[in-house]
């Protein structure tokens, strides 16, 4: 190894050590905030992984040394998934082993993100802290999508720096769709659907007019960019999610507000869709909806990948073919592998293909565990209406997620950023549900100021971007 190579290694080690020391000594609120806000924006992303993945492991290690990662809900499900991945590794050819290891490291970062967010919120007992982060993330993603919308088919690099290049839109003669910050149009659409539902829920609890205007503006922007993605499944998920949200909060809203919200939402969507289709080149949504065809009960665009995946799943149905779907032709030819032609565009087929029936069961148990925690907390009474409704919001988001993943799979290697977003969101929702159950049982919760919950054991809390309405605990 030459001198320059050794110099690079030494510099990398020094920088890495400096980052780890900083993560160890800085307040967790600062480091977690920075890591969560960076999730959609992988500044350094390569075939070996992203900088965010490395930072997640470093931060988790620092918090572990500080004894801050002490609560581990659903740890049995995560261990089971890890064991399943080890079994699936035995089915992968030796030539693909390195790629599978990189994949497991990437997925593991998502699992760690879940516990980092969960323990941070449970320790500080500040649910509004993460709600503010969700709003900030939405603002930043909105700005990102706006720049992409303006760039059209061009590759846009901020400040002329290659590492700050925005994801290039899918622009061809027959395909004109907004990419968003994630590496798959369907994933960007799912993210926007989640944000519409979340911002809509937050708008129910805002008192200040300026903050309510911000949330309505974000809802409008999310709808606009959803239309620009041209993703039909995303629109279906939005409709399902909106109906479920209105049903989940029917008592709080009442029939009159439900009708107004429904009619207003439909009207806003069609106005926004008209503006995007008439004024931008991302005008495919209605065209794609009108041209939808089915083959053997499956959408035409999904029939090929689903049938191809099903044929290969039948060859190794129990343990699958290996954790990662890889497309490097040279490696696959070297391994003499009868490999899948492309991503199956379906989470359940993806899991059956990669980790088999046992892997699908392991992940379903994880999702069921998250659902169970949220379900148990859905009727607990609390003096902060915003926090009290979060378990029901989580239930709706989980149902929408499980439906939307019929058309896409969040576990692709290239979607480490979205995996971290989802696990951070689930960690937040479970932490809120845990705090809600504890305080409801104790009957000791009070709101000492808008935006935070305090009790005898509460840590410091930051002011929220919201000002939720409060009420006494109902016993």
């Amino acid at each position: 190894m030459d001198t320059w190579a050794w110099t690079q290694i030494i510099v990398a080690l020094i920088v890495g050590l400096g980052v780890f020391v900083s993560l160890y000594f800085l307040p967790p609120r600062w480091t977690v905030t920075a890591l969560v806000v960076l999730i959609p924006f992988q500044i350094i992303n390569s075939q070996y992984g992203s900088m965010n993945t490395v930072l997640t492991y470093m931060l988790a290690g620092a918090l572990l040394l500080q004894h801050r990662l002490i609560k581990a809900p659903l740890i049995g499900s995560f261990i089971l998934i890890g064991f399943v991945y080890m079994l699936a590794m035995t089915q992968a050819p030796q030539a693909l082993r390195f790629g599978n290891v990189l994949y497991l490291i990437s997925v593991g970062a998502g699992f760690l993100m879940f516990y980092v967010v969960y323990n941070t919120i449970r320790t500080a007992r500040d649910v509004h802290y993460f709600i503010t982060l969700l709003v900030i993330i939405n603002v930043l993603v909105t700005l990102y999508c706006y720049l992409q919308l303006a760039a059209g088919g061009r590759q846009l690099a901020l400040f002329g720096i290659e590492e700050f290049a925005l994801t290039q839109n899918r622009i061809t003669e027959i395909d004109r769709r907004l990419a968003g910050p994630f590496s798959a149009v369907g994933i960007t659409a799912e993210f926007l659907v989640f944000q519409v539902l979340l911002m809509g829920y937050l708008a129910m609890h805002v008192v200040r007019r300026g903050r309510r205007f911000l949330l309505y503006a974000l809802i409008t922007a999310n709808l606009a960019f959803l239309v620009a993605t041209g993703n039909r499944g995303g629109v279906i998920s939005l409709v399902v999610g909106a109906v479920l949200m209105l049903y989940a909060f029917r008592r709080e809203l009442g029939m009159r507000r439900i009708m107004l919200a429904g009619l207003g939402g439909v009207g806003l969507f069609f106005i926004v869709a008209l503006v995007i289709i008439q004024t931008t080149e991302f005008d495919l949504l209605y065209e794609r909806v009108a041209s939808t065809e089915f083959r053997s009960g499956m959408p035409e665009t999904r029939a090929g990948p689903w049938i191809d995946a099903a044929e290969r799943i039948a060859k190794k149905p129990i343990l699958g073919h290996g954790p990662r779907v890889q497309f490097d032709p040279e490696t696959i030819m070297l391994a003499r592998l009868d490999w899948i032609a492309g991503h199956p565009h379906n989470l359940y087929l993806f899991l059956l293909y990669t980790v088999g029936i046992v892997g699908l069961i392991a992940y379903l148990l994880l999702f069921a565990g998250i659902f169970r925690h949220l379900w148990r907390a859905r009727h607990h009474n609390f003096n902060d209406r915003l926090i009290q409704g979060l378990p029901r919001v989580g239930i709706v988001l989980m149902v929408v997620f499980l439906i939307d993943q019929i058309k896409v799979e969040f576990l692709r290697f290239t979607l480490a950023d979205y995996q971290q977003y989802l696990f951070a969101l689930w960690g937040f929702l479970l932490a809120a549900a845990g705090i809600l159950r504890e305080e409801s049982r104790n009957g000791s919760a009070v709101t000492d100021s808008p935006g935070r919950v305090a009790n005898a054991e509460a840590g410091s809390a930051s002011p929220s971007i919201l000002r939720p309405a409060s009420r006494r605990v109902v016993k």
Side-chain angles (χ1 to χ4, degrees):
M1 189 178 293
D2 57 27
T3 304
W4 175 240
W6 277 109
T7 302
Q8 288 179 306
I9 292 175
I10 293 172
V11 170
L13 289 173
I14 293 174
V15 171
L17 181 61
V19 170
F20 180 80
V21 171
S22 299
L23 292 173
Y24 184 87
F25 286 104
L26 286 173
R29 184 180 298 275
W30 293 9
T31 54
V32 173
T33 296
L35 190 60
V36 169
V37 170
L38 278 175
I39 284 176
F41 316 106
Q42 308 282 308
I43 297 176
I44 299 177
N45 200 5
S46 72
Q47 61 179 324
Y48 302 110
S50 68
M51 183 182 74
N52 294 43
T53 297
V54 176
L55 291 176
T56 301
Y57 276 95
M58 285 187 170
L59 179 57
L63 295 177
L64 191 63
L65 290 176
Q66 296 172 337
H67 304 288
R68 293 181 182 271
L69 291 184
I70 55 177
K71 296 182 182 294
L74 304 175
I75 188 63
S77 294
F78 285 112
I79 291 175
L80 177 60
I81 291 173
F83 178 68
V84 165
Y85 275 130
M86 294 299 103
L87 292 177
M89 284 284 284
T90 65
Q91 306 300 303
Q94 183 66 36
L96 303 180
R97 195 65 52 83
F98 180 65
N100 282 309
V101 170
L102 292 177
Y103 176 79
L104 295 184
I105 292 173
S106 177
V107 172
F111 296 171
L112 289 176
M113 179 67 75
F114 173 88
Y115 286 114
V116 166
V117 170
Y118 180 88
N119 280 273
T120 300
I121 294 173
R122 288 300 299 269
T123 300
R125 308 190 72 78
D126 187 0
V127 176
H128 290 268
Y129 154 72
F130 196 84
I131 291 174
T132 302
L133 293 188
L134 288 175
V135 176
I136 293 172
I137 288 173
N138 203 172
V139 170
L140 294 176
V141 169
T142 296
L143 294 175
Y144 188 103
C145 289
Y146 175 77
L147 292 175
Q148 279 189 327
L149 198 73
R154 295 181 293 110
Q155 178 75 54
L156 180 63
L158 301 180
F159 313 111
I161 301 174
E162 184 178 352
E163 285 75 13
F164 293 167
L166 274 61
T167 305
Q168 192 164 9
N169 296 315
R170 295 175 60 171
I171 301 291
T172 65
E173 292 183 0
I174 60 173
D175 196 7
R176 302 178 298 278
R177 290 189 279 171
L178 186 77
F182 304 102
S183 300
V185 172
I187 290 296
T188 295
E190 184 176 281
F191 171 85
L192 293 171
V193 169
F194 279 4
Q195 294 303 125
V196 169
L197 299 176
L198 284 166
M199 297 304 115
Y201 174 72
L202 298 183
M204 291 170 53
H205 300 275
V206 169
V207 173
R208 291 189 179 179
R209 186 173 301 174
R211 295 174 180 179
R212 182 176 294 176
F213 175 80
L214 169 63
L215 294 173
Y216 286 150
L218 287 175
I219 292 170
T220 303
N222 290 328
L223 290 174
F225 298 131
L226 176 61
V227 172
T229 65
N231 190 262
R232 294 163 292 186
V235 175
I236 294 172
S237 296
L238 176 63
V239 172
V240 172
V243 171
L244 290 176
M245 285 287 286
L246 292 176
Y247 179 78
F249 296 96
R250 62 194 182 279
R251 291 189 179 89
E252 290 87 342
L253 293 172
M255 184 55 65
R256 180 175 175 274
R257 292 180 66 187
I258 287 176
M259 295 297 294
L260 289 174
L263 293 174
V266 171
L268 178 62
F269 178 83
F270 279 109
I271 292 172
V272 166
L274 182 64
V275 171
I276 292 295
I277 290 172
Q278 293 295 325
T279 63
T280 75
E281 57 191 310
F282 303 97
D283 56 357
L284 283 185
L285 179 61
Y286 289 159
E287 182 180 327
R288 297 188 78 231
V289 170
S291 63
T292 300
E293 297 180 0
F294 292 87
R295 191 206 319 172
S296 301
M298 295 176 286
E300 180 69 23
T301 56
R302 294 291 185 263
W306 288 1
I307 293 172
D308 182 47
E311 290 175 350
R312 286 163 173 75
I313 288 169
K315 297 178 180 180
K316 289 186 176 182
I318 306 301
L319 298 180
H321 293 74
R324 178 181 174 184
V325 173
Q326 302 184 66
F327 301 119
D328 178 26
E330 183 178 349
T331 304
I332 292 173
M333 288 181 64
L334 182 64
R336 297 179 180 179
L337 184 66
D338 180 22
W339 203 243
I340 195 170
H343 287 296
H345 297 279
N346 181 295
L347 174 64
Y348 311 103
L349 292 176
F350 179 92
L351 288 171
L352 285 172
Y353 178 77
T354 55
V355 290
I357 294 173
V358 292
L360 175 62
I361 293 173
Y363 266 101
L364 289 179
L365 288 174
L366 173 63
F367 300 147
I370 296 172
F371 192 92
R372 179 175 58 85
H373 277 269
L374 297 172
W375 186 264
R376 288 168 53 195
R378 74 192 190 283
H379 288 322
H380 283 287
N381 294 303
F382 198 50
N383 63 344
D384 187 325
R385 293 179 180 178
L386 177 62
I387 296 177
Q388 180 175 305
L390 283 175
R392 282 177 283 168
V393 175
I395 290 170
V396 172
L397 293 182
M398 178 57 70
V399 172
V400 172
F401 165 77
L402 294 175
I403 293 173
D404 198 72
Q405 287 292 306
I406 294 174
K407 68 172 177 61
V408 71
E409 53 280 292
F410 82 103
L411 286 172
R412 297 178 190 177
F413 177 70
T414 55
L415 296 178
D417 47 1
Y418 190 65
Q419 292 164 26
Q420 292 167 14
Y421 164 79
L422 283 179
F423 282 112
L425 182 62
W426 289 331
F428 155 68
L429 290 169
L430 258 65
I435 292 174
L436 177 59
R437 288 198 306 270
E438 286 181 5
E439 301 296 353
S440 182
R441 284 197 302 265
N442 297 336
S444 60
V446 296
T447 49
D448 62 344
S449 67
R452 62 179 177 178
V453 176
N455 61 20
E457 300 176 356
S460 62
S462 61
S464 170
I465 197 170
L466 306 175
R467 185 178 294 276
S470 298
R471 63 177 180 180
R472 294 183 179 276
V473 178
V474 179
K475 296 185 180 179

